[in-house]
Amino acid sequence: MDDGPRVPEQRRPGSVNATDPVAARFSVLGPVRAWHGEEALNTGSPQQRALLAALLLREGRTATAAELIDALWGTEPPSQALAAVRTYASRLRKVLDRGVLVSESGGYAVRGLGEDALDLAAAQELAAGAEKARGAGDLTHARELLSRALGLWDGEALAGIPGPYADAQRVRLEEWRLQLLESRLDMDLEQGCHAEAVSELTALTAAQPLRERLRELLMLALYRSGRQAEALAVYADTRRLLAEELGVDPRPGLSELQQRILQADPALAAPSAPVAEPARVPVRPAQLPASVPDFTGRSAVVDELSEVLASASEAEGRVMAVSALAGIGGVGKTTLAVHVAHRARTAFPDGQLYVDLQGAGHRPAEPETVLGSFLRALGTADSAIPDSLEERAALYRSVLDGRRVLVLLDNAKDAAQVRPLLPGMEGCAALVTSRVRMVDLAGAHLVDLDVMSPDEALALFTKIVSEERVAAEREAALDVVAACGFLPLAIRIAASRLAARRTWTVSVLAAKLADERRRLDELQAGDLAVKATFELGYGQLEPAQARAFRLLGLADGPDMSLAAAAAVLDLPPEDTEDLLESLVDTSLLESAAPGRYRFHDLVRLYARSCAERDEQPPSERDAALSRLLDFYLATAAGVYAIERPGDRLVDHLEATEYPGLAFTGPKAAVDWLYAEGDCLLACVRQGAGHGMLRRAVDLLWVAKDLTESGANSHQYESTAIALRDTAEEAGDRRAEGRARTALTNALLVSDRFTQADEEARLAILCAQEAGDLAPCCWAPNDRGIIALYQGRNDDGERHLQEAIANYRADGNLPGEASALCNLSRIHVKLGRLTSAVELARRGLAIYDQLGLTLRVANARLALGIALSAAGRRPEALEQLQEALRLFQENRQRLWEGTANFRISEAHLGAGQAAQAARHAEQALALQVIGGDWMRANVLTVLGQALDRLGQTDRARACWSEALTVHEKFGAAEAEQVRALLRPATAA
């Protein structure tokens, strides 16, 4: 038989059935299976499948009966071996497509298969493609191809197949899989994905302890992750293991890497491709919006800006160029900048970045958010993007070093918003548009953009409307562009409406513009000049359309869903959609996505001015915002109730008059909450300033999942602080207590325990003064959790007993269950393991009775911790694994990391060190509830697992890092870590 797997002959495109959509498919990279289309076929007994596997691996060539007998039974075949082979072949022929298994020259062959009919052939083709892509320098594509190839394995190759041939092929296929895996991991490191690779490499080295290439890759990944001590510890462990098991030293490459790490070789710090490979082609973003086809005029300014950009690209050693365009709204800054940027694209071959900074709106884009988007566009992995503005800006400049990239920063608020986004490198350039002149933007080439000349304005109008219609009424056309103040945006809107209405004449449009009595005064008032342009569209609206335009502009969110708009307008969704789509047709509203709508920031300001001027009675404006707040509060309360059946927080909320949405299941509810997060928090902030403070606070509290999941955490915290301050200033102790309770949750998630405890303490005082029971339940529960994390177990027990009593007084079973589970954790710390298990079981029983999902995960986590501490490891792992699955389903990343940590502890207690190390690494990658303090605990467990795996030097490195953190916080765990380090120190 053959020595190794090769691409089967039957894969050739010219083969029979090559394009048959229901042709047979086979797998050998796992159990040997066959399908006809999507239908699984019965391939018979293990020996029959062994025959099929042997034929599939013959690459379409004939295998004689003697070869097949040798493959299945080796040197000791049964007396009826030949008959058995014929029987197996006959049975397979009946199952497979006609002509697939053929008899030939006293033997058998598998032929006539289509493209990728065999998973092994597909894997080999993908691996070949990856090698080719890597040779061309396209590591991203190569990694993708190798990942797809590896994904074709479904467990052990030829699983359950007997016979010497299958045994030999299994060994070869597993060796090939490991080679592919090493190659993919090598490319991971070349692309800077070292942090992500550590967890996988830790598990692989535990499973393949003598495979030196994996150890080498792990050392490099740890070193590049800033874990030098662990990297050197891996070498020490490897050298000791090789000496003990094989009596040999590490190969020269591994020893050389150790020396380079000891010397902090700068070449190791950054990924580098092998010399024989071409340089990696960086990601080249092309984010510029489409240039308008009817761009007109501005030739002098276009030439001026183009010259500045060209000089930045061509001049060697020149500081990057910055051109800042300023002018009133609607003057055409964006259109001009995009046009110039497209003209200059060839001068910036490494890419073009674009962002709308939303400087004219109420919520300008945060520079750190924009930098995150730019870094991703430039090929930076999410895990490599730092958190702070300063670090992101520094990384952004580093990524751009040596590249020629054009950055278009549109609609900037001020120079402070722009500065962190400037490339700062020679060969790069930035174009900035803003309503204000950026005189404080050092070194910028400032351009004040004025309105169009009359000839340019008429040319733009003619391009949109058509030469024929304008030629027939040239004077009227001149009247139109003059009435628009030669403002490009005004001309474009007017001309587009005329072009869309074939029954109108230019004279009709001119007459409508002439009726605008205040238009010229408004044109001379800065940004108000745009009002007159929009008035043209507004004046043509039907009364219902005009009302919708005015009221929808009142909301602060970045966009609005159809359901939210229906609440603002107090109309059925069907009628609301008709109105919104008609406004889209007038260009006064934009369709951001199916079912979502947004205003341009200038149009929103105009709509609000119309509401202030025209909405009668004036109270209708506040009523519209009140309905929107009601909609969000009622819907968010519904989401909370679906996630936490029986939780009585929803019964303590302010009453609403407008209903919310109803959901068919938890997934749809949670999806809505995260999709509406920005708009919901904007509504909270706006409601607090419009006399609706209590409802706004309740909406914030009931939407607390936005911070617990890690989504919208920053916005949630800043909103909670704003509401707390507003409530305190207003003397509303009830609202203040609830705002402080919400803020406690945000601070607790971000591991600011001292601040969180103080907010919770004050929340209780406010609530007691106001006679508000709800915060008196949740705040003590949070204080108990904080005390647990800080090692104040007696305090924690007191707070949690208070919380349990208050939850019971309120009839809040889920709340009681939460406090019981938290008290279980306290009892574990106090060594009361029997009561700890019992408390967790009581909490879980309540959650199960109520049919909860996410909260069940928390209870199972608590029960798993208690069982693990009590030495009941199998039961503990069952509970913890189920908790992990539920956290994953509910997208609770921090809780998912925490569950991995607890599973790691349980595996360690059960003596399963390799599994413990793998889950601890996953916890470090995902991060955990409790911040740096909890991370130090993870490192402690990881070190214990590594120590048991014989990797003592790396274990000590983990413990040393954990000790540093615990000593920083003054944590009680520091002494435990010192004890772990002490024996090694004494030695």
Side-chain angles (χ1 to χ4, degrees):
M1 300 299 290
D2 286 326
D3 292 333
R6 298 197 297 268
V7 180
E9 188 176 284
Q10 62 267 24
R11 288 191 59 265
R12 292 196 296 266
S15 300
V16 178
N17 292 337
T19 59
D20 183 355
V22 292
R25 293 184 294 111
F26 299 90
S27 73
V28 294
L29 301 178
V32 175
R33 292 172 291 191
W35 295 267
H36 180 79
E38 296 303 318
E39 178 188 359
L41 303 178
N42 182 5
T43 52
S45 66
Q47 284 79 11
Q48 187 169 306
R49 284 184 278 117
L51 175 70
L52 176 60
L55 293 175
L56 288 171
L57 294 173
R58 287 284 291 178
E59 304 183 357
R61 291 175 290 106
T62 301
T64 66
E67 287 175 322
L68 291 172
I69 290 172
D70 184 63
L72 269 63
W73 293 287
T75 58
E76 298 181 358
S79 59
Q80 300 298 317
L82 179 59
V85 167
R86 290 171 177 169
T87 300
Y88 298 153
S90 176
R91 290 173 181 172
L92 286 170
R93 190 180 289 114
K94 293 176 183 178
V95 173
L96 302 177
D97 292 348
R98 181 185 298 273
V100 171
L101 196 158
V102 298
S103 300
E104 187 177 76
S105 304
Y108 301 94
V110 170
R111 298 212 177 115
L113 298 186
E115 285 286 343
D116 296 333
L118 181 63
D119 58 356
L120 173 60
Q124 289 176 311
E125 184 172 340
L126 288 167
E131 185 177 354
K132 182 178 179 181
R134 187 175 188 180
D138 190 353
L139 290 184
T140 300
H141 186 49
R143 287 173 66 204
E144 178 191 354
L145 292 176
L146 277 185
S147 295
R148 286 169 55 192
L150 289 164
L152 293 174
W153 261 265
D154 184 15
E156 182 185 47
L158 305 174
I161 299 301
Y165 179 70
D167 291 341
Q169 290 300 311
R170 236 187 319 270
V171 172
R172 294 181 184 278
L173 289 171
E174 175 61 14
E175 174 62 24
W176 185 50
R177 185 187 71 85
L178 289 172
Q179 290 172 4
L180 293 181
L181 192 55
E182 288 171 346
S183 182
R184 198 217 73 212
L185 287 163
D186 189 29
M187 286 186 277
D188 287 349
L189 299 188
E190 287 186 60
Q191 290 201 308
C193 301
H194 35 270
E196 297 91 332
V198 169
S199 175
E200 186 174 5
L201 282 165
T202 296
L204 286 169
T205 53
Q208 303 284 339
L210 299 177
R211 200 170 181 94
E212 292 183 67
R213 178 56 179 156
L214 289 174
R215 297 270 184 160
E216 182 179 351
L217 291 170
L218 177 57
M219 288 174 64
L220 188 57
L222 287 167
Y223 179 73
R224 289 181 177 170
S225 299
R227 299 160 71 173
Q228 180 180 4
E230 287 186 67
L232 293 170
V234 169
Y235 177 81
D237 293 330
T238 304
R239 183 176 60 181
R240 182 170 54 255
L241 180 66
L242 291 173
E244 293 172 354
E245 297 292 329
L246 304 177
V248 298
D249 291 327
R251 61 188 179 86
L254 200 63
S255 301
E256 179 185 347
L257 179 59
Q258 182 226 17
Q259 291 301 313
R260 294 176 69 189
I261 291 174
L262 287 170
Q263 297 164 6
D265 186 346
L268 289 180
S272 59
V275 176
E277 292 187 1
R280 177 189 171 193
V281 179
V283 176
R284 190 180 71 84
Q287 297 184 339
L288 295 178
S291 183
V292 295
D294 50 23
F295 182 85
T296 305
R298 310 289 200 186
S299 56
V301 180
V302 168
D303 291 342
E304 178 184 353
L305 291 172
S306 297
E307 183 179 348
V308 172
L309 295 180
S311 66
S313 175
E314 296 167 2
E316 201 53 43
R318 178 189 171 100
V319 177
M320 64 97 189
V322 180
S323 293
L325 286 75
I328 62 172
V331 79
K333 302 181 295 294
T334 298
T335 301
L336 174 62
V338 169
H339 179 76
V340 170
H342 274 286
R343 279 189 47 164
R345 283 185 64 183
T346 55
F348 299 92
D350 296 319
Q352 306 86 39
L353 297 168
Y354 170 85
V355 66
D356 178 2
L357 293 172
Q358 304 176 31
H362 290 279
R363 304 288 294 176
E366 296 290 343
E368 54 263 43
T369 302
V370 176
L371 285 170
S373 175
F374 278 179
L375 286 168
R376 292 184 190 96
L378 291 164
T380 306
D382 280 357
S383 59
I385 298 176
D387 292 329
S388 73
L389 172 61
E390 293 76 16
E391 288 177 313
R392 288 188 176 191
L395 178 59
Y396 170 62
R397 292 189 293 271
S398 299
V399 170
L400 289 178
D401 188 24
R403 300 191 191 184
R404 288 188 292 166
V405 173
L406 175 62
V407 183
L408 177 46
L409 305 173
D410 191 22
N411 195 10
K413 178 185 177 183
D414 51 30
Q417 185 189 33
V418 166
R419 287 191 192 98
L421 309 178
L422 297 178
M425 296 295 162
E426 62 183 40
C428 293
L431 267 176
V432 184
T433 73
S434 177
R435 294 183 187 179
V436 298
R437 296 186 79 245
M438 294 197 175
V439 294
D440 52 346
L441 193 61
H445 174 75
L446 302 180
V447 177
D448 291 325
L449 197 59
D450 202 353
V451 296
M452 285 181 153
S453 69
D455 290 340
E456 289 175 336
L458 183 60
L460 174 60
F461 186 82
T462 302
K463 282 186 177 182
I464 298 172
V465 172
S466 81
E467 180 71 33
E468 179 182 358
R469 295 177 75 182
V470 172
E473 297 181 274
R474 181 177 176 80
E475 290 302 319
L478 287 171
D479 290 340
V480 168
V481 296
C484 290
F486 310 112
L487 197 67
L489 181 58
I491 297 167
R492 183 173 296 280
I493 291 176
S496 297
R497 285 186 58 82
L498 181 60
R501 287 158 176 78
R502 304 300 299 178
T503 59
W504 285 14
T505 64
V506 182
S507 297
V508 168
L509 179 59
K512 292 180 181 296
L513 287 172
D515 287 341
E516 308 303 328
R517 294 185 297 273
R518 291 181 295 175
R519 176 174 46 81
L520 292 178
D521 292 335
E522 291 170 344
L523 285 173
Q524 297 174 7
D527 283 350
L528 294 179
V530 181
K531 274 192 175 183
T533 304
F534 294 138
E535 197 77 40
L536 172 65
Y538 178 71
Q540 299 301 314
L541 297 178
E542 297 293 331
Q545 292 175 311
R547 173 180 177 270
F549 178 72
R550 294 191 300 268
L551 295 183
L552 293 174
L554 295 173
D556 272 348
D559 62 1
M560 185 175 290
S561 68
L562 177 60
V568 171
L569 302 179
D570 197 18
L571 291 172
E574 298 80 9
D575 295 343
T576 301
E577 184 175 23
D578 290 342
L579 282 173
L580 268 56
E581 289 297 330
S582 69
L583 290 175
V584 170
D585 290 341
T586 67
S587 298
L588 293 174
L589 193 66
E590 298 175 14
S591 178
R596 300 199 73 87
Y597 300 87
R598 68 185 176 206
F599 283 105
H600 183 280
D601 45 19
L602 296 177
V603 182
R604 186 200 300 273
L605 293 175
Y606 172 71
R608 290 182 175 180
S609 71
C610 290
E612 293 169 3
R613 181 188 66 196
D614 301 334
E615 199 59 46
Q616 299 299 331
S619 59
E620 177 58 11
R621 299 197 295 272
D622 286 339
L625 291 176
S626 179
R627 288 192 295 271
L628 180 62
L629 183 56
D630 272 359
F631 164 78
Y632 277 124
L633 177 54
T635 307
V639 174
Y640 190 97
I642 288 174
E643 287 194 282
R644 304 168 177 84
D647 193 311
R648 292 207 64 238
L649 175 59
V650 294
D651 299 321
H652 291 283
L653 303 176
E654 288 287 307
T656 58
E657 295 181 5
Y658 195 90
L661 295 174
F663 299 102
T664 56
K667 184 179 185 303
V670 172
D671 287 346
W672 176 88
L673 182 64
Y674 293 142
E676 291 289 339
D678 289 338
C679 295
L680 184 150
L681 293 175
C683 183
V684 168
R685 289 187 294 266
Q686 191 172 23
H690 281 77
M692 298 175 275
L693 176 60
R694 288 194 172 187
R695 275 183 291 159
V697 168
D698 282 357
L699 174 55
L700 181 70
W701 191 5
V702 83
K704 65 179 184 177
D705 279 353
L706 292 176
T707 190
E708 286 190 353
S709 68
N712 303 95
S713 297
H714 177 72
Q715 299 96 314
Y716 188 97
E717 180 184 338
S718 62
T719 302
I721 291 172
L723 265 64
R724 177 202 64 187
D725 295 344
T726 300
E728 186 175 19
E729 184 176 325
D732 189 335
R733 301 291 276 172
R734 174 188 170 96
E736 182 184 349
R738 294 185 175 207
R740 289 186 184 277
T741 303
L743 180 57
T744 297
N745 197 57
L747 294 169
L748 179 55
V749 168
S750 61
D751 123 21
R752 283 170 286 172
F753 301 134
T754 301
Q755 291 174 258
D757 191 58
E758 179 62 10
E759 289 295 336
R761 185 185 70 81
L762 293 174
I764 295 170
L765 293 178
C766 290
Q768 289 172 341
E769 184 177 332
D772 186 12
L773 179 59
C776 294
C777 297
W778 274 269
N781 194 25
D782 287 341
R783 295 197 77 188
I785 296 170
I786 294 165
L788 168 68
Y789 286 161
Q790 293 184 327
R792 297 183 289 106
N793 297 317
D794 291 335
D795 289 345
E797 184 172 28
R798 186 178 70 256
H799 292 315
L800 290 169
Q801 293 287 8
E802 178 185 353
I804 291 170
N806 290 340
Y807 278 129
R808 286 174 177 167
D810 190 39
N812 192 327
L813 287 174
E816 179 185 349
S818 171
L820 286 170
C821 291
N822 292 330
L823 186 58
S824 169
R825 300 277 305 282
I826 291 285
H827 280 211
V828 168
K829 292 291 186 181
L830 293 172
R832 304 177 198 166
L833 302 182
T834 302
S835 62
V837 171
E838 176 58 24
L839 287 167
R841 288 198 187 279
R842 285 165 57 191
L844 178 58
I846 293 173
Y847 283 139
D848 281 337
Q849 172 191 342
L850 295 171
L852 292 163
T853 52
L854 179 57
R855 298 309 122 190
V856 166
N858 291 103
R860 291 192 182 279
L861 181 68
L863 179 56
I865 293 170
L867 289 168
S868 182
R872 297 158 65 178
R873 297 307 178 336
E875 296 171 77
L877 282 170
E878 180 181 354
Q879 297 296 330
L880 294 171
Q881 292 286 4
E882 181 61 13
L884 176 61
R885 182 185 67 80
L886 292 170
F887 286 134
Q888 289 170 335
E889 287 181 357
N890 287 273
R891 294 179 290 186
Q892 298 290 316
R893 179 183 174 88
L894 297 179
W895 282 111
E896 182 183 344
T898 302
N900 270 295
F901 165 52
R902 297 304 181 181
I903 291 171
S904 174
E905 283 185 314
H907 277 305
L908 187 67
Q912 298 162 336
Q915 294 96 318
R918 178 167 61 87
H919 283 282
E921 286 287 1
Q922 289 173 352
L924 290 175
L926 289 165
Q927 300 182 2
V928 290
I929 294 286
D932 286 342
W933 168 74
M934 185 63 86
R935 183 177 183 275
N937 291 333
V938 178
L939 284 168
T940 300
V941 171
L942 175 59
Q944 290 172 302
L946 293 171
D947 186 50
R948 295 186 188 181
L949 289 170
Q951 301 180 32
T952 53
D953 292 282
R954 187 179 167 198
R956 280 173 46 80
C958 291
W959 293 333
S960 297
E961 184 178 349
L963 181 60
T964 300
V965 175
H966 285 317
E967 288 178 339
K968 173 185 174 183
F969 287 101
E973 289 83 354
E975 186 53 39
Q976 175 200 355
V977 181
R978 290 192 194 97
L980 290 170
L981 286 166
R982 201 168 291 131
T985 302

